[in-house]
Amino acid sequence: ALALSEVLKTNTTLTTLDLQSNSIGNEGALALSEALKTNTTLTTLHLQNNSIGNEGALALSEALKTNTTLTTLDLEYNSIGKEGALALSEALKTNTTLTTLKLFHNSIGKEGALALEALKTNTTLTTL
């Protein structure tokens, strides 16, 4: 994921990236997050089943605050807890392009679900 994230920073053609089940973990999520801050073409990112925890979710959340092209982010089957859900919630307050966020089979729990209060003000997310 590290080398791939470097390429994504300057790539102008790739629109979909499917990295499911690649064990990228938090380190890979951090690297991809840096790329998402500058990438202007990627619209779909599949990261399910990659052992991404709260640290990775926090990094991805920071990227979502500035990224203006990503419409689908799939984080199913990871290890995201309530802290990660809270960070994603904060990002959703300002992100205006993400339409689909998949969080199935994580560990966000009741508190994490309640943290997704940004859905009250987000007008673009249609699938959760």
Side-chain angles (χ1 to χ4, degrees):
L2 297 173
L4 189 55
S5 67
E6 287 302 313
V7 171
L8 282 177
K9 289 179 182 178
T10 56
N11 181 280
T12 58
T13 55
L14 189 68
T15 59
T16 300
L17 181 59
D18 190 341
L19 292 175
Q20 65 180 318
S21 302
N22 273 288
S23 302
I24 67 167
N26 286 322
E27 185 179 357
L30 289 167
L32 287 170
S33 297
E34 287 304 309
L36 286 175
K37 290 177 183 177
T38 57
N39 180 280
T40 58
T41 56
L42 198 67
T43 59
T44 304
L45 181 57
H46 296 285
L47 294 176
Q48 60 268 53
N49 195 31
N50 268 299
S51 302
I52 296 170
N54 288 324
E55 185 182 357
L58 264 67
L60 289 167
S61 297
E62 285 302 309
L64 286 176
K65 290 178 182 178
T66 57
N67 181 282
T68 59
T69 54
L70 198 67
T71 59
T72 300
L73 178 59
D74 191 341
L75 293 170
E76 295 177 329
Y77 290 93
N78 279 291
S79 303
I80 299 169
K82 65 180 180 181
E83 294 85 4
L86 182 59
L88 289 166
S89 176
E90 286 300 312
L92 290 175
K93 289 179 182 177
T94 56
N95 181 284
T96 58
T97 53
L98 200 68
T99 59
T100 302
L101 176 61
K102 295 184 178 184
L103 294 171
F104 178 76
H105 209 278
N106 276 281
S107 302
I108 64 172
K110 182 179 178 181
E111 289 180 45
L114 291 173
L116 291 170
E117 66 183 42
L119 297 176
K120 292 178 184 175
T121 56
N122 181 290
T123 59
T124 55
L125 198 68
T126 59
T127 305
L128 179 64

